[in-house]
Each structure stands twice: as structure tokens, then as C-alpha cells.
Amino acid sequence: MSSTPLTIEVPRVPVGPWFDSAIDWLRDNLGPLFDVIGAVIGACVDWLAALLTVPTAAQLTLIAALVVAAGLLARRGNIRGGAIPTLAALAAWAVLSLVEALAGGVALVIGSLPAPLFLWAMNLFGASYVHPPLVLALLLLAALVVVSLTATRDRRQWLLAVGAAVATVALFVLHHIVGVPLDLLVLLLFVALAQVVSGWRLALFAFLGFLLIVSMDKWEAAMSSLALILVATAVAVAISVPIGVLAAYNDRVSRLIKPILDFMQTLPAFVYLIPAISFFSIGQVPGVIATVIFAMPPGVRLTELGIRQVDRELVEAGEAFGAPPLQILRRVQLPLALATIMAGVNQVIMLSLSMVVIAGMVGAGGLGNDVYSGIARSDVALGFEGGIAVVVLAIFLDRLTGAVTRFSPAARAQRASR
Amino acid sequence: MPAVRAEKLYKVFGRRADRAVELLADGRHRDEIADLNVTAAVIDVSFEVSPGEIFVVMGLSGSGKSTLIRMLNGLLEPTSGTVEVAGTDITRLSAAELRRVRSEKISMVFQHFALFPHRTVLDNAAYGLEVRGIAREERVRKARESLELVGLAGWEERLPTQLSGGMQQRVGLARALAADTDIILMDEAFSALDPLIRRDMQTQLLELQASLGKTIIFITHDLNEAMRLGDRICVLRDGRVAQIGTAQEILDSPNSDYVARFVEDVDRTRVLTAGSVMAPPTAVDSGQDPREALRAMREAGTDRAFVLDPQRRLLGVVNADALDRADDAEGLGSVLDTGVHRVGPATAVADLFHRAAGTPHPIAVVDGSDRLLGAVARDTLLAALAPPGHDAGEKDTATAVAAGVAVDGGEAR
């Protein structure tokens, strides 16, 4: 005889199946939406990866033009002189590009111009025809340089405009005539960015670090990962900052999203990959989506914190002079919270980096793929080379975003007080 | 029409605010309704502020003065009662209309300055106009003007953190002035400044007010500041109005023990002015001969008299001993002592002591064109120091005698 032991049955709560059916329902009902999101994100990542690995002459010129435009629009003193022609030039470029992309209109115009005008350029690039986007980008750059030199009296803006134009020409010469490979040219752009934003130390680090990546033959993988990180960060910031603002304004929203953020941040990141695959199949897109979800919470938290930290009396001052709430947000709270929000963006980028390897499991490619293959094949060399490339990217991005903070209005004010 | 009118204002924080207002309206103290779990900040406050007046709301911390001022521009909505600004009841306005009233009619100066640290001094000063959507050139021009008014020309491109506390608050004042509103609310505007700078700021505010004539509602916990600045003062106690009146009224006839205890510590010499304590002077005409003058002085029971010219302008002082020895033929001119201290009627009594100590003559109180208004003798000064209740009636020792005596007991303010 054996006595029957007392058994307490805990009913099985089908948590997993709930999630499963919820995801099924979402896929069945919102399928087209996910397709669109997936297509947009995929296109962005591909475009950015291509830009970073093999930029075209048109893209490089465009970057130079945008740098000059940013200088024109950002400087306070230029508002009267430079902003309107700058915006006009940008708009003209956008319209012409659209016309070109939709109907090939610009190509038609160029085709009807006398050929000798372009012969030297075609010889230079070894091309058999004139590339319309490049022409447009060159025209935009030229227009902005002229605006910089005529409409403003800011010497630094002149230097920026001339420097950007010279750098563009120098890149063309280096690549098409001297024959420097493109990855080294992009590397130089990173070094220049580091120099401008942070200083020579980071520039030196960027130079050596990215050179190491090139020499390990990891450039393409690193740029693919960087593209994925940048797109994921952009999406995460675009979602998290508005939510953070809402949470700062409304205590109830704040209380509501706190546990959700905890959940998002602590659920093992691998788990996100499963529904992401079911929505977007394998590839870069589920990698981006999983990264966005995992990396978003600090963006929300620090945005809320930053806005709540803004002195109550300053907001009151805005109200007392009759400013509407959105204007107070835009002109008082966001500028003063920017340093904290940037710290959040920095965190988002760091978390994205840590997701890259995991995303490699679902075929997102890039460095994650190398590391994952290294694990699968227990190939120490492959794994470490991929890992070290991630470290270089991580340090570069961290220092770069950390240094951006010093351009924030609050940081400027603090520096001035010393 | 008053510039600002508050009518039976209540502000009670908490869920059962309406019930609390009923009980408070019956005259209960706010501590008696503690069981309702509400905070009654402002209770049954009514007043009117005339255009061009400096109206000071004075109270200790927790007396509800900050809450009160925030109801005047609609930053807080009253639980009950109405606020009229230039005839408009702002408690009935929509949010957008209320914002318009704030940007066009009322500006505000804050205790901790509340300058935007990321904007230059110029952009801070121009903020009110920017909110109103005025074109950049126009607002820059007006902001420069108001910065110049407060003495900050040349600092336009600095950031607020580069300025000292006093200068920052002058930017705050310039921001309110540039907004070009008729009414300015000042919430403990000078309380965060150190005492010397505070005095300078008070002086500057009074000077500006003399030329601009704004309606200013000034909040302070400092009674000396209230007395110095206020045309009228409203003393708040535990959310209720304890007394409203001019500085002199509150000093001389406090209506409750609370107010009386308050004014005990007031430095009366800084509140009272030469104009408010002066006595009618003994004066003689410069055309009189010494014997007539002497007789007039004996009748008035005094041994010194001011000498006035036919336009009643002050020439100097004669004393009885000198007149005794004077030759009738030479007239008063030969014994005239021109070493008389002259002060304006707005001079604080505190500033009279060292003058009184340096001369045997009474101090002459004169108007802008040197016409004699009154005299302040040493005993008058001492009597002015005594708080009300200790009868100070003996200050009327001198009497006007000769023709052409100017007796003007009008208030200095």
C-alpha cells in the first residue's frame, strides 16, 4: 500500500500560446503594414550600407553640399542672409532630383547641351555618359558655396564652404586619378567627422581603428552593421522621444509605460527575434526591429528625465509671457533637455551595438554574421576579428555621440558661466 | 477703471475644495478645516489696483502671496472669485484668450529670474515680443531699448549665466518692460539678491516707475521693501487680507495685533520721509527789518527763522542773538546765515540725522524750485522715531509768522 501524496495542481497558464496567437492575429490582420515597414527599413539599410561601402561621386558631393547647408542654417547670425537662398537651393535640387528620378528630365536637358562641356569630366571619371544626379549635386554644392561667400560675412562659413568644395574635388582626384580605394576615402570622412565633433584624439583613434578594420578585411561587414545600427537608432529615437515627452507631461502615461519599458529591456533579446522573423522573415529587417525594441527604453527614460529636469520656473516664465505649450516644448524644454536626450541616444546606440551580433543569427549580415559563424565553426580567428571590429565601432560611436552633447544649448550656457 | 481687480478670490488645493470654500467663507480659519485634507492658500482676497500704482502684497512664507499673484495672470485658476484685468474677467477666458491677455497686458518678473540659459541676454529680453509674433528687427530694437533702460547696454550678446545676480534680474525686468504691457507682476523679484544690490534695484525700479508709470504688483516678504516701494500695501496673513493701506497708514494705525507686531521692527526712519514729518516753518520775509523779525520770532517762541525772498525761495536763516546786534539800517542781509541744509520732501528720515547733527539750524524741506515747504528740527526727528501710541504731538513747536510763509503739509508721495 502506498499512500497517495497530496498533490497541488497549479493550472497551466498558456502564456506562450497567448503570445503566439496574438502575433498570428497581428500578422494576419496587419500584414500589409508590416510589409511596408519592412520594405522601407530594408531599403534604408541597403542604401546606407551602399553609401558607406561604395559611395558614388554624386553621394559624396551631396554630403559636402549638405555640410555647407547645415553650416548656413545653423549659425545664428546667418538667419537673415543665408537661410532663404539655402532653402531655395535645396528645394530646387530636390525638385530636379524628383523630376530626374521620375521622368529622366534632367538627363534630357543634359543630353541636349553641347557635349564638349562635359568631355573633361567624362574623361576624368572614365565614364561614357554624364551622370545626372552627380550634375545636380555639383550644381547644389556650387550654389551653396556661392551663397556662403556672398550672403554671409562669417569667416568660418567661408572656410567651411571652400573646405567642403576642395575636399570633394580632392576625393574625386584621389579616387579616380590616384586610385585610392573607396573604403579608405570613407575612412577619411569618418576621421574628419571625429576631428570636427570631438578632437584630434578621437580622429587618431578613428584613423587607426578603421584602418585595422580595413586590414582585417572587415570593412564591408562593419559598414553593413553600422548601417543597421544607424537605421535602428533613427527609428528608436523617432519613437522614443515623443513617448518620453508624453511621459514627462503626464504622470499617468509615465506610470503606465514604466513597466512596459522594464519588460522591453529585460526580456532576453533573442526572444524578439522570433516574432520579428514571423513578421518580416529573415534578413536585416527583423534585426533592425528587434534592435529597436531592445534599444528604445533608455531613449524614452532619458527624454522624460531631461524634460522633467528643466526648471519649473522657466516653463512658468514661458507661460507667463503667453507662449503656447508646444512652443514652450520646442523653444525651452527640448533645447534645455537636449544634453540628457543625447545621453539617451548614446545609450540607444550602445544597446543597438550589443544587438548586432544577436541580429547576425537571423541573417542580418555584417559583423554579427562573422561572430555567429565564428561560434558555429568555433573559429577563434573569425570570431575575434568580428568582435574587435565591433569594439572599434562601439568606441567610435560612443565618443562621437558623447562629444555631440557639448554642442547642446545647455552645455554652451554652462561653459559660458565658467 | 482699475487696472486689476480681485473679487473674493479663493484658491484651495485638494479634492474637496468647493466645500472648503463654503466653510472658509463662513469665516473659519484654515487650520479648522484640516480634516477636509485641503490646502487653502488664498482666502477671500479682494482689492483694486489703480493704473500707474505700485501695489505691494506683503506676507510671510505660506501666506499665499505667490498663489495670489499667479491667479492674477491666470497661471492658476481661482477656486472661486474673479480677477479682472483692464475690465476683462480673465477667469472666464479660454486658454488661447488667456495667453493673449498674458502676452499683451501682463508680464512677470520671477524670484529666481527664470532667464532662459540657452538664449542671449538680448533674446531673453525679446522673448515676450517673440511669443507675440513680432518681426525680429522690431523686437530686437525694443529689447535693446529696454536693456538700455535697465543699464545693461553692451551686454546683449552675453548669456545670462555670465551675469551677476543683480544683472540677471535686470534682464528679467528688461524682458518684462520690452513686452510693453501695462501691468507687471513681480514675484519676490529682489528677494534672491544680496541686500546692497536689492537696495539699488529698488531705487532703479522707483526711478523707472517715475518715468514709465506702469501698474506694478509687487510681492515681497520684506516689510521694509514693501514700505519703500509700495504706494499701497496689502498685508496677507494665512491666506487672508490683514490690512490694505499706504505705508504711513499701516505704520501709524495698524488694524490688528498681527500687523502691529509686524511693523514694530520696521525701520521707521527709512519709511518716513522729510515731507511726512516736517513741521510748518517759522519764516520771515527778506524785506522785513530786524526788529519786526525778532518780534515775530518771539511770538512763535523760537530763536531761529528762515528768510524767504518774495517768491518764497529760501535764502538762509537768522537767529535771535544775531538780530539783537543787527543794525536796523542794514536789514536782514547782514546777519543772514546761508549754511542751511536743504532736502526734498521724498528724502528718508534716516538721511536727515547726519545733516541735523552738523548744524544748529532746522533742516529746510524745499521743493524743486527751492521754495520752502517745511522744517525738520532735531526734536521733530526724535519724535518721528517713536512708534504710534507714544504721543508725538509735541513736534508742532514752530508756527508760521510772516507773510509769504509756505506751509505745505502734503504727503511726500
Side-chain angles (χ1 to χ4, degrees):
Chain A
M1 279 295 287
S2 62
S3 60
T4 49
L6 182 67
T7 55
I8 299 176
E9 282 269 331
V10 177
R12 174 78 168 87
V13 181
V15 174
W18 284 345
F19 272 92
D20 196 22
S21 50
I23 284 163
D24 279 346
W25 183 87
L26 281 176
R27 199 182 47 206
D28 292 345
N29 292 284
L30 300 175
L33 178 66
F34 289 119
D35 289 347
V36 171
I37 295 175
V40 170
I41 290 178
C44 286
V45 174
D46 287 342
W47 178 80
L48 200 56
L51 172 67
L52 291 170
T53 39
V54 277
T56 65
Q59 285 169 334
L60 286 176
T61 313
L62 201 56
I63 290 174
L66 290 180
V67 167
V68 178
L72 275 170
L73 293 176
R75 271 175 236 269
R76 277 168 28 84
N78 296 337
I79 284 172
R80 229 177 308 159
I84 293 166
T86 305
L87 292 175
L90 286 173
W93 170 82
V95 168
L96 288 175
S97 296
L98 206 65
V99 169
E100 164 62 20
L102 294 178
V106 176
L108 210 67
V109 174
I110 293 172
S112 65
L113 292 173
L117 212 56
F118 306 106
L119 276 180
W120 64 273
M122 286 151 77
N123 286 337
L124 178 65
F125 298 124
S128 53
Y129 71 102
V130 177
H131 193 45
L134 174 60
V135 174
L136 289 178
L138 281 171
L139 285 178
L140 176 65
L141 179 60
L144 291 177
V145 169
V146 170
V147 170
S148 298
L149 293 183
T150 54
T152 75
R153 300 194 169 175
D154 191 337
R155 228 155 251 220
R156 283 186 303 176
Q157 179 63 32
W158 292 358
L159 216 64
L160 181 71
V162 173
V166 169
T168 315
V169 173
L171 286 183
F172 289 166
V173 170
L174 282 177
H175 181 60
H176 292 288
I177 296 177
V178 181
V180 179
L182 272 174
D183 44 11
L184 288 184
L185 292 181
V186 176
L187 188 153
L188 282 182
L189 286 183
F190 283 143
V191 172
L193 185 66
Q195 171 71 43
V196 170
V197 172
S198 172
W200 67 270
R201 282 168 221 270
L202 186 62
L204 183 66
F205 171 82
F207 182 69
L208 296 177
F210 284 114
L211 212 54
L212 181 66
I213 293 179
V214 171
S215 83
M216 289 190 300
D217 204 13
K218 289 274 175 284
W219 182 260
E220 244 176 81
M223 289 308 107
S224 158
S225 287
L226 184 58
L228 191 145
I229 290 168
L230 291 181
V231 171
T233 304
V235 174
V237 168
I239 299 174
S240 62
V241 168
I243 295 179
V245 169
L246 268 183
Y249 268 78
N250 191 322
D251 286 340
R252 207 170 291 169
V253 173
S254 174
R255 274 201 302 275
L256 181 77
I257 62 166
K258 226 161 237 166
I260 299 178
L261 293 180
D262 291 339
F263 180 88
M264 284 163 64
Q265 223 174 355
T266 48
L267 192 72
F270 292 86
V271 179
Y272 295 124
L273 293 176
I274 310 165
I277 292 172
S278 91
F279 287 135
F280 302 105
S281 84
I282 60 166
Q284 286 167 329
V285 178
V288 171
I289 298 294
T291 306
V292 166
I293 297 174
F294 181 69
M296 215 173 63
V300 178
R301 290 211 170 107
L302 284 163
T303 302
E304 179 184 351
L305 179 71
I307 295 213
R308 282 183 188 260
Q309 266 176 348
V310 172
D311 193 347
R312 172 80 203 121
E313 212 183 21
L314 293 181
V315 177
E316 205 173 42
E319 289 169 353
F321 282 92
L326 264 184
Q327 199 188 68
I328 295 177
L329 178 69
R330 214 155 34 87
R331 298 198 192 160
V332 179
Q333 290 173 302
L334 281 180
L336 291 175
L338 197 61
T340 314
I341 295 176
M342 279 311 297
V345 172
N346 176 291
Q347 287 302 302
V348 170
I349 291 181
M350 292 298 108
L351 287 180
S352 306
L353 262 164
S354 71
M355 270 302 282
V356 161
V357 174
I358 297 169
M361 288 173 57
V362 290
L367 295 172
N369 195 35
D370 289 356
V371 174
Y372 189 57
S373 312
I375 298 170
R377 290 188 241 150
S378 62
D379 183 339
V380 173
L382 185 63
F384 265 84
E385 284 184 357
I388 286 172
V390 171
V391 170
V392 171
L393 268 187
I395 295 179
F396 177 69
L397 289 174
D398 177 53
R399 301 296 187 273
L400 200 66
T401 48
V404 166
T405 309
R406 83 194 162 94
F407 293 105
S408 81
R412 264 212 310 265
Q414 207 158 39
R415 260 202 314 283
S417 66
R418 262 182 238 136
Chain B
M1 183 169 58
V4 177
R5 201 164 78 93
E7 180 78 34
K8 294 195 190 310
L9 269 188
Y10 286 83
K11 181 67 188 178
V12 180
F13 298 97
R15 277 189 198 178
R16 302 171 68 187
D18 291 336
R19 174 83 187 120
V21 167
E22 285 171 26
L23 291 174
L24 291 164
D26 282 347
R28 299 208 199 174
H29 190 267
R30 65 179 177 181
D31 294 343
E32 293 172 47
I33 56 163
D35 53 319
L36 282 179
N37 218 359
V38 294
T39 312
V42 171
I43 306 161
D44 193 19
V45 171
S46 304
F47 57 77
E48 285 184 3
V49 183
S50 326
E53 183 181 27
I54 300 188
F55 185 80
V56 176
V57 177
M58 214 281 315
L60 300 181
S61 61
S63 62
K65 53 195 191 303
S66 283
T67 311
L68 175 63
I69 202 173
R70 278 163 179 71
M71 287 193 285
L72 298 184
N73 64 355
L75 286 180
L76 286 175
E77 199 186 335
T79 312
S80 156
T82 58
V83 177
E84 278 176 25
V85 173
T88 317
D89 181 358
I90 65 164
T91 54
R92 293 172 192 279
L93 298 182
S94 70
E97 288 169 325
L98 190 57
R99 282 199 292 271
R100 262 195 51 186
V101 168
R102 283 187 208 139
S103 77
E104 290 171 7
K105 300 225 165 75
I106 311 183
S107 48
M108 190 160 175
V109 181
F110 292 83
Q111 178 173 13
H112 301 292
F113 322 140
L115 300 178
F116 303 116
H118 57 300
R119 297 166 146 251
T120 61
V121 165
L122 183 68
D123 285 345
N124 263 293
Y127 183 72
L129 299 168
E130 183 185 325
V131 168
R132 223 188 289 171
I134 309 260
R136 182 166 172 84
E137 309 210 342
E138 166 88 0
R139 64 180 194 247
V140 164
R141 190 177 57 74
K142 284 197 170 166
R144 277 183 196 282
E145 277 172 17
S146 62
L147 282 171
E148 203 164 313
L149 268 183
V150 299
L152 281 179
W155 294 82
E156 290 89 350
E157 296 308 320
R158 306 293 186 93
L159 289 171
T161 40
Q162 294 172 298
L163 273 54
S164 69
M167 291 165 88
Q168 288 190 33
Q169 191 57 300
R170 280 191 272 162
V171 178
L173 188 56
R175 177 170 65 180
L177 292 176
D180 205 19
T181 56
D182 292 335
I183 304 165
I184 299 180
L185 305 180
M186 302 183 75
D187 180 17
E188 299 254 13
F190 303 151
S191 301
L193 303 173
D194 67 55
L196 287 178
I197 297 182
R198 196 184 312 167
R199 266 196 84 73
D200 288 348
M201 291 291 291
Q202 290 165 358
T203 310
Q204 190 172 24
L205 180 66
L206 287 172
E207 285 168 6
L208 281 174
Q209 171 66 1
S211 60
L212 298 178
K214 303 272 183 189
T215 306
I216 297 177
I217 299 179
F218 195 103
I219 297 268
T220 182
H221 62 257
D222 177 356
L223 189 57
N224 280 314
E225 183 168 75
M227 297 272 172
R228 177 139 192 254
L229 296 177
D231 293 322
R232 282 190 308 143
I233 297 164
C234 165
V235 182
L236 280 190
R237 181 198 186 184
D238 294 339
R240 290 181 190 271
V241 174
Q243 186 170 4
I244 298 183
T246 64
Q248 190 101 40
E249 282 166 17
I250 286 179
L251 261 188
D252 290 343
S253 46
N255 67 357
S256 64
D257 286 351
Y258 180 79
V259 178
R261 258 188 300 138
F262 238 126
V263 299
E264 243 172 32
D265 291 335
V266 168
D267 182 354
R268 296 175 62 86
T269 63
R270 298 226 162 266
V271 178
L272 299 176
T273 57
S276 63
V277 301
M278 68 185 179
T282 312
V284 296
D285 195 89
S286 60
Q288 288 179 303
D289 63 44
R291 240 179 316 152
E292 280 173 7
L294 208 52
R295 199 183 317 124
M297 285 159 66
R298 291 215 178 93
E299 277 168 18
T302 171
D303 61 348
R304 279 164 218 280
F306 293 109
V307 180
L308 307 177
D309 71 5
Q311 280 76 45
R312 293 193 268 164
R313 283 195 295 258
L314 180 63
L315 296 175
V317 175
V318 289
N319 71 51
D321 296 344
L323 282 176
D324 265 342
R325 277 174 274 127
D327 188 339
D328 269 4
E330 288 178 51
L332 293 178
S334 62
V335 290
L336 186 67
D337 183 353
T338 51
V340 187
H341 286 290
R342 294 166 162 84
V343 297
T347 314
V349 166
D351 296 331
L352 300 180
F353 287 104
H354 67 278
R355 292 193 172 89
T359 170
H361 308 310
I363 296 167
V365 181
V366 295
D367 67 7
S369 41
D370 211 23
R371 276 196 282 265
L372 187 64
L373 301 175
V376 180
R378 285 184 197 176
D379 52 354
T380 321
L381 272 183
L382 290 177
L385 287 180
H390 311 274
D391 188 38
E394 284 168 55
K395 59 184 170 187
D396 297 311
T397 46
T399 353
V401 266
V405 168
V407 179
D408 186 348
E411 298 281 298
R413 287 169 186 275

